[in-house]
Amino acid sequence: MKKVDILAIGVHPDDVELSCAGTLLKHMQLGYTVGILDLTHGELGTRGSGPLRLKEAEAAAAILGISERVNIGIPDGFFENNVANKLKIIEVVRECKPDIVLANAIEDRHPDHGRSAGLIYDACFLAGLSKVETVSRTGEKQAKWRPRVIYNYVQDKMLIADLIVDITPFMDQKMQSILAYSSQFYDANSNEDESPISGKDFLEYIKARAQSYGRQIGVSYGEGFTASRPIGVNDILKLH
Ligand SMILES: [Zn+2]
């Protein structure tokens, strides 16, 4: 992956689209570079399969106009915050050198999300230690790199946001990217088992959630994030 300003990391392909695709689109329009790192293939999802979700993730990235997307294929559901998984994330972070990382929700209905948030936090910290040695995919020793800050996007469980990004102009494109995961979300022709996210009401809820965060900052649609430390700003007039 090339150097990016923002790296959005999700444990399941579709976490990023559901929770922070609007923020990525907005910052791309502002001229920043973005990438996506998926940790698993999402092979334990009620619907679909790992290979299908990888194809859907590619289609979603194309809708968002994001060319930098990688998947490190750790096991869905049963992954641990262990040395091997941390090193896989460290290698990607050192390769694409993000200034800001957007990561899974610190707590959520799905236990993978909070566990992933801890794994990402630890990996980003360790990536900044020179004595943690890793090599690139082309075999060179990697230099240390620590992202400036990690923001955790809000997922299913409603959390009080520390930061809300106005995504109003990008709401439709975000919804299109979500619909690329046709095995996961509402599809009138699907014969697969229902899941908590497969109904039409779930897509309406995603919009309602964005409206709710948007309303808190006086805009139509927003995406909410929590921060692990106070947010420092240079120009308070640039804030909503
Ligand atoms: Zn997920």
Side-chain angles (χ1 to χ4, degrees):
M1 207 191 280
K2 286 186 235 157
K3 149 83 187 151
V4 294
D5 297 310
I6 302 173
L7 179 66
I9 308 179
V11 64
H12 308 119
D14 76 14
D15 286 350
V16 165
E17 284 79 1
L18 286 167
S19 302
C20 65
T23 300
L24 296 182
L25 288 167
K26 171 160 207 171
H27 287 84
M28 284 160 68
Q29 197 187 59
L30 289 170
Y32 296 103
T33 51
V34 309
I36 299 174
L37 166 60
D38 302 306
L39 302 185
T40 77
H41 295 181
E43 65 271 18
L44 296 185
T46 305
R47 291 177 159 208
S49 64
L52 180 57
R53 289 185 74 174
L54 283 186
K55 279 210 176 108
E56 292 172 342
E58 264 178 41
I63 290 167
L64 295 171
I66 294 174
S67 54
E68 303 296 324
R69 181 170 209 160
V70 297
N71 190 310
I72 54 172
I74 68 175
D76 191 9
F78 298 98
F79 70 89
E80 293 174 352
N81 184 347
N82 59 22
V83 176
N85 290 338
K86 281 195 272 247
L87 285 171
K88 284 183 184 171
I89 297 172
I90 292 168
E91 284 163 18
V92 177
V93 166
R94 286 177 171 177
E95 185 180 313
C96 69
K97 301 179 171 54
D99 295 292
I100 292 188
V101 163
L102 306 179
N104 281 111
I106 45 171
E107 58 167 307
D108 210 12
R109 180 183 71 81
H110 197 315
D112 280 2
H113 295 163
R115 205 158 73 260
S116 168
L119 171 61
I120 295 164
Y121 185 91
D122 291 356
C124 288
F125 182 84
L126 292 169
L129 300 180
S130 54
K131 287 188 177 163
V132 174
E133 292 186 10
T134 54
V135 289
S136 69
R137 281 181 287 182
T138 48
E140 293 114 34
K141 188 172 177 287
Q142 290 184 305
K144 67 177 180 177
W145 182 271
R146 185 175 293 149
R148 229 177 327 131
V149 62
I150 299 173
Y151 297 119
N152 294 90
Y153 45 79
V154 176
Q155 297 193 248
D156 200 42
K157 184 174 175 180
M158 191 73 173
L159 302 175
I160 294 173
D162 298 316
L163 175 73
I164 296 173
V165 178
D166 173 12
I167 62 157
T168 304
F170 305 101
M171 193 63 209
D172 287 342
Q173 201 176 346
K174 171 188 166 105
M175 293 309 290
Q176 290 304 316
S177 75
I178 291 169
L179 290 172
Y181 293 89
S182 54
S183 72
Q184 300 302 300
F185 304 115
Y186 182 66
D187 174 2
N189 301 315
S190 175
N191 299 317
E192 290 201 75
D193 289 348
E194 293 286 314
S195 79
I197 58 173
S198 68
K200 210 174 186 175
D201 57 338
F202 180 71
L203 295 175
E204 286 160 11
Y205 172 67
I206 293 293
K207 274 199 132 166
R209 161 67 62 82
Q211 278 180 315
S212 167
Y213 279 127
R215 183 161 176 80
Q216 292 175 49
I217 58 166
V219 302
S220 296
Y221 295 106
E223 284 174 338
F225 298 84
T226 62
S228 55
R229 63 160 173 77
I231 296 165
V233 298
N234 286 318
D235 183 347
I236 55 173
L237 290 174
K238 291 216 168 122
L239 301 178
H240 274 278

